[in-house]
Amino acid sequence: MAQTFSAVLLDTVSIQRYIFSTNNLKENIGASQVVEEIFDSHLKEVIKDIFSLSDERFFTEWEKNPEKISILENSLPLEIGYIGGGNALIFFKDETKAKEFIKKWSMRLLIYCPGLIPACAIGKIDFQRFSEDLKILFKKLAHNKSEFIPQTIIKRHGITAECPNTGYSAEVWCEKLPAEKQNYISSVSNAKIEASERADDKLEKILKESGLSEKYTFTNILDRLGQSKHEESHIAIVHIDGNDMGSRFQSQKDLISLRKLSISVRHITLNCFKKLIRKIAENIENIKNEGINLQQAEKRTILPIRPIIIGGDDITFVSDGRLGVWLAKIFLEEFEREKPSDGKPLTACAGVAITKTKYPFYRGYRLCEELTGNAKKQRRNRKDDGSWIDFHIAYGGFSGNLEEIRNNFYKAPSVDSLLMRPYKISDLNELLKGISEFKEKKEDKNKFPRSKLMRLKEVLYYGEKEHENFLREINTRGLKLPSYKEFKGEKIVLNKTTPYFDMIELMEFYPDFALKGGSS
């Protein structure tokens, strides 16, 4: 029996730019839905058209029966290998049909998903040497992505009106906007706005499965995540990405193992998000007591979180700024408890960018991505196998990349950096214990006065003599710095590092009720 088939591997280019290029949360959400649908409804419709199929079981069979490879039994002219992690793999018996699929799928995306840039590779896969052939296919895909970027947006001309959202040509009248905002917009914006309603339906299903749909809902508006009116408000943009997942998927020795891993990781990510929103619901009164202004919509409480991407091994969400690090920590801890199909431990890294609500969303997301990358880099440098988290609090605007920001604003004579972040999750828990010590109450007031905290933050920029003077000053008042690992409160700086700047910054953006013992 023949074991070799034509294989098509599908991907997209610059997906983050497509999703996060606007400050409109509704469009961000819709864009994520558009991306999900290219490997769902659009892929399905093209295959049905090419092969004149009315039965859609070909699309779900790989997931329902991952151990069954139907194409080997000559029952179908094609088979879905797997869909997940931003990719789709499809096998065809006839190479001509494989090429026809690529052509028609790409054409359909031009019509229904303008602005999205697809990428694909075609090659041969022998199921007896599946792992080796799949690696070759991925290499070909990487080459194709860098060699040619197709034009997928109608170009602007001098006589064409400009879309207020994207700057592209405005050619579609959008009726989905509120009456006072209806206008001609680009086909790119229109596709995202229309898809946002389908994304809302999907999230409503998640709420129902979590047992929360009667009391809670999500919002599409950044200003309704819990920020207080007439006060300086912040949001947290959180991106969490599984560690070493690309190599883990590509190292699977056969299609069945690859399918099972894809299915299990996708279910784990979704289940961890459900646990996360249940944790929010359990603590809803505590959250309100933090001064977080939870609003109502259709007699339901708006949760202070809004997912944008829930992918195979990654998730991106936005929340009230005071909850971002806490929520990221909960997700990472839940993720580590899960066991995927290959039995190996799961870990992930998180980046949390805390920015002003009105700050350009794409720039905030780019910073968030850099933070995730920095956490992964530190994990590799330490040769650690756990989950790590990095965070940045932008009190105003910021310019430059993460490395430039930290080199320009977080240097002092006595330390290599004022920051010890990123943190392994166990180390973050120790840091939270220190913050809890800073905020201990004495006669209904913080034991460590805020004025002394601000003074400590200032002293950190000075040298050893100023550090000693500050320690003497607080000791005479019966105060002592919190402990953190080798720091026992007797030194501000050890080995050119200090945890106290991180403690002081994070204490304003971590809920008091979750501080006790550093637990979630």
Side-chain angles (χ1 to χ4, degrees):
M1 184 181 293
Q3 296 286 310
T4 304
F5 299 91
S6 292
V8 173
L9 183 61
L10 305 176
D11 198 353
T12 48
V13 179
S14 301
I15 203 70
Q16 286 77 21
R17 179 175 289 277
Y18 177 79
I19 294 175
F20 297 102
S21 59
T22 172
N23 219 36
N24 186 318
L25 183 58
K26 189 180 183 74
E27 287 195 37
N28 300 142
I29 292 161
S32 176
Q33 181 66 22
V34 169
V35 171
E36 185 174 321
E37 288 174 355
I38 69 172
F39 299 136
D40 191 337
S41 56
H42 297 304
L43 185 150
K44 194 185 333 180
E45 289 304 314
V46 170
I47 289 175
K48 285 168 66 177
D49 177 57
I50 291 173
F51 294 99
S52 301
L53 296 173
S54 57
D55 189 341
E56 293 187 357
R57 280 182 295 179
F58 74 88
F59 187 74
T60 56
E61 192 66 19
W62 74 274
E63 191 169 7
K64 290 180 179 177
N65 299 297
E67 296 182 353
K68 181 181 179 182
I69 305 177
S70 301
I71 200 167
L72 293 175
E73 302 171 2
N74 296 316
S75 56
L76 279 175
L78 84 153
E79 181 162 7
I80 305 294
Y82 79 97
I83 298 172
N87 298 116
L89 178 66
I90 312 170
F91 304 113
F92 295 85
K93 288 183 177 178
D94 185 344
E95 184 177 347
T96 304
K97 293 293 185 183
K99 291 178 178 178
E100 183 183 353
F101 166 80
I102 293 172
K103 181 179 179 181
K104 290 192 173 183
W105 181 72
S106 302
M107 184 73 74
R108 185 179 176 90
L109 297 191
L110 281 173
I111 297 168
Y112 294 100
C113 312
L116 196 61
I117 303 173
C120 61
I122 185 169
K124 295 291 185 181
I125 280 191
D126 185 334
F127 285 101
Q128 294 180 346
R129 42 167 294 160
F130 178 80
S131 181
E132 295 88 342
D133 286 352
L134 184 63
K135 286 176 183 176
I136 292 170
L137 197 59
F138 267 102
K139 284 182 182 178
K140 187 181 288 189
L141 177 67
H143 173 77
N144 291 349
K145 287 169 76 172
S146 62
E147 186 179 51
F148 174 66
I149 304 295
Q151 177 68 39
T152 61
I153 301 168
I154 297 174
K155 289 185 176 181
R156 281 192 62 209
H157 301 282
I159 58 171
T160 307
E162 182 178 292
C163 170
N165 300 336
T166 62
Y168 300 138
S169 174
E171 65 267 353
V172 179
W173 179 262
C174 183
E175 296 182 350
K176 299 289 184 181
L177 295 171
E180 68 277 8
K181 293 185 178 180
Q182 287 183 7
N183 198 356
Y184 280 101
I185 60 174
S186 68
S187 55
V188 175
S189 273
N190 188 63
K192 293 176 181 179
I193 290 169
E194 289 192 344
S196 68
E197 294 183 2
R198 299 191 293 277
D200 289 342
D201 293 340
K202 184 177 70 175
L203 283 183
E204 191 64 31
K205 181 181 177 183
I206 290 173
L207 283 172
K208 189 172 183 179
E209 291 170 350
S210 304
L212 302 174
S213 59
E214 290 186 8
K215 294 180 66 176
Y216 299 100
T217 187
F218 293 106
T219 182
N220 288 336
I221 304 170
L222 281 176
D223 289 327
R224 303 193 73 188
L225 290 166
Q227 305 94 315
S228 300
K229 290 183 179 180
H230 313 301
E231 290 183 17
E232 190 176 84
S233 65
H234 289 79
I235 58 169
I237 307 168
V238 181
H239 177 62
I240 301 172
D241 190 33
N243 291 324
D244 309 316
M245 295 305 295
S247 57
R248 191 159 165 175
F249 275 101
Q250 291 183 42
S251 65
Q252 297 303 304
K253 296 187 177 182
D254 54 55
L255 178 60
I256 293 170
S257 300
L258 179 61
R259 283 175 166 178
K260 287 182 176 180
L261 183 60
S262 176
I263 294 165
S264 65
V265 170
R266 181 149 48 94
H267 288 173
I268 284 169
T269 302
L270 180 58
N271 286 337
C272 286
F273 179 72
K274 290 176 181 177
K275 290 177 182 179
L276 182 64
I277 58 176
R278 288 191 196 106
K279 177 70 77 171
I280 294 172
E282 289 167 11
N283 286 281
I284 208 73
E285 292 304 319
N286 289 327
I287 289 171
K288 289 177 183 177
N289 291 336
E290 294 286 327
I292 292 173
N293 179 32
L294 298 181
Q295 299 184 44
Q296 299 286 312
E298 298 177 351
K299 298 182 180 180
R300 293 190 291 176
T301 300
I302 296 174
L303 291 168
I305 183 175
R306 185 36 154 111
I308 300 174
I309 299 172
I310 305 176
D313 65 314
D314 70 328
I315 182 169
T316 301
F317 61 82
V318 60
S319 72
D320 181 275
R322 292 160 287 185
L323 300 177
V325 175
W326 174 57
L327 294 174
K329 185 176 88 77
I330 291 171
F331 189 94
L332 290 174
E333 289 171 339
E334 292 293 347
F335 198 68
E336 284 189 340
R337 293 186 185 107
E338 298 284 349
K339 296 295 180 189
S341 63
D342 63 1
K344 297 177 182 177
L346 271 178
T347 63
C349 286
V352 184
I354 300 170
T355 72
K356 295 282 188 66
T357 302
K358 298 298 183 184
Y359 195 77
F361 197 86
Y362 179 66
R363 290 185 66 186
Y365 176 76
R366 287 295 300 271
L367 177 64
C368 176
E369 262 199 327
E370 286 188 85
L371 290 161
T372 309
N374 196 48
K376 286 179 176 283
K377 180 181 176 182
Q378 188 75 343
R379 176 180 177 269
R380 286 193 300 270
N381 290 345
R382 298 281 186 90
K383 296 181 179 177
D384 185 84
D385 58 359
S387 295
W388 286 68
I389 185 169
D390 200 356
F391 58 91
H392 180 82
I393 301 162
Y395 293 98
F398 52 87
S399 60
N401 59 33
L402 180 64
E403 184 178 1
E404 291 169 341
I405 292 169
R406 290 185 169 174
N407 284 337
N408 291 337
F409 300 105
Y410 297 92
K411 294 290 185 182
S414 59
V415 294
D416 294 328
S417 171
L418 289 168
L419 312 177
M420 288 186 72
R421 56 191 100 153
Y423 289 92
K424 188 175 179 177
I425 286 298
S426 56
D427 292 339
L428 178 65
N429 283 330
E430 288 300 310
L431 190 81
L432 295 174
K433 290 178 184 178
I435 295 174
S436 184
E437 287 182 43
F438 266 138
K439 300 186 92 170
E440 278 180 8
K441 298 290 183 182
K442 185 178 181 181
E443 297 174 358
D444 292 329
K445 292 183 180 179
N446 283 354
K447 184 178 176 182
F448 212 104
R450 181 174 174 80
S451 59
K452 293 301 176 191
L453 285 171
M454 295 303 101
R455 175 65 181 150
L456 172 57
K457 191 174 181 181
E458 181 183 340
V459 165
L460 283 166
Y461 282 95
Y462 301 147
E464 188 176 345
K465 186 176 180 180
E466 287 82 359
H467 295 173
E468 291 174 354
N469 289 339
F470 178 81
L471 286 170
R472 275 196 298 270
E473 179 187 339
I474 64 170
N475 288 341
T476 59
R477 294 172 176 266
L479 299 173
K480 185 181 178 182
L481 294 176
S483 298
Y484 172 77
K485 299 181 80 170
E486 68 269 23
F487 289 83
K488 305 304 178 186
E490 297 161 357
K491 289 278 188 181
I492 294 178
V493 172
L494 285 173
N495 301 320
K496 293 212 164 196
T497 63
T498 179
Y500 298 113
F501 196 96
D502 284 345
M503 286 187 190
I504 295 168
E505 277 216 326
L506 186 55
M507 68 192 306
E508 299 296 326
F509 290 92
Y510 203 90
D512 284 352
F513 70 84
L515 277 175
K516 214 167 194 179
S519 67
S520 57

